[in-house]
Amino acid sequence: MKKKVFISGPILGMENDQGYRKTITETCTRLGFEVIDPWRREKVLYKGDEACWWKKCVPMDFVQRDLDDADRCDVMVVYLPKLSAGACMELFYAKRKAKKVIVVSGMECLSPWIVVHSDVILKSFEELEEALKRML
């Protein structure tokens, strides 16, 4: 059975800049992972020009779908070019569920919360393939 990778990363303020998901997906697929990307399901909700769009959905349903996805994964890849409440919550949840967590972030000073709840911290996507190979 294929191992599953959940893609996590910021959306708010980056609604039109989700290309990192394609980069992660291509790397994971090349290595034989199945990809779980909540953006595929949720992107219809995001409108970069609409303030507080999330007030139009049921918050617990929205969150529960992501938690269910995290439950199904073996590895979570979290892209943090900037802090993201959702990505940090997903990261925390995944680690507490004994999932492997890889963070990709160029930020110089990551919070101790992120460091403690990560198995691997990478500076760039160029390092992702080798990190994922170790998780196979």
Side-chain angles (χ1 to χ4, degrees):
M1 182 177 343
K2 285 185 175 183
K3 286 193 175 184
K4 296 178 178 86
V5 172
F6 178 106
I7 299 175
S8 176
I11 295 174
L12 289 177
M14 291 182 61
E15 291 86 351
N16 298 316
D17 191 15
Q18 293 295 302
Y20 66 89
R21 293 176 183 279
K22 181 179 180 197
T23 300
I24 296 169
T25 297
E26 288 172 351
T27 301
C28 291
T29 302
R30 186 171 52 253
L31 294 174
F33 287 96
E34 181 181 328
V35 174
I36 301 169
D37 184 356
W39 177 248
R40 291 180 190 153
R41 172 187 61 238
E42 306 290 354
K43 64 184 168 186
V44 297
L45 299 173
Y46 291 91
K47 295 174 179 58
D49 60 346
E50 183 179 349
C52 299
W53 59 264
W54 54 90
K55 291 182 179 180
K56 295 180 182 176
C57 63
V58 178
M60 189 57 216
D61 291 348
F62 181 83
V63 170
Q64 190 61 54
R65 286 189 297 266
D66 285 352
L67 295 178
D68 291 345
D69 284 344
D71 283 335
R72 295 185 307 115
C73 81
D74 301 290
V75 179
M76 181 177 286
V77 175
V78 184
Y79 177 53
L80 288 176
K82 66 178 191 170
L83 286 179
S84 162
C88 287
M89 295 297 284
E90 291 165 350
L91 176 155
F92 177 79
Y93 180 83
K95 194 67 213 156
R96 291 295 172 172
K97 291 290 190 161
K99 309 299 180 169
K100 295 293 184 188
V101 176
I102 299 173
V103 171
V104 181
S105 179
M107 288 191 289
E108 288 301 317
C109 192
L110 290 172
S111 162
W113 281 85
I114 295 169
V115 173
V116 166
H117 292 92
S118 303
D119 293 290
V120 178
I121 298 174
L122 310 172
K123 288 290 186 186
S124 70
F125 287 122
E126 286 74 32
E127 304 169 85
L128 182 58
E129 187 166 339
E130 285 305 313
L132 284 167
K133 283 180 183 176
R134 291 191 296 272
M135 309 259 169
L136 284 172

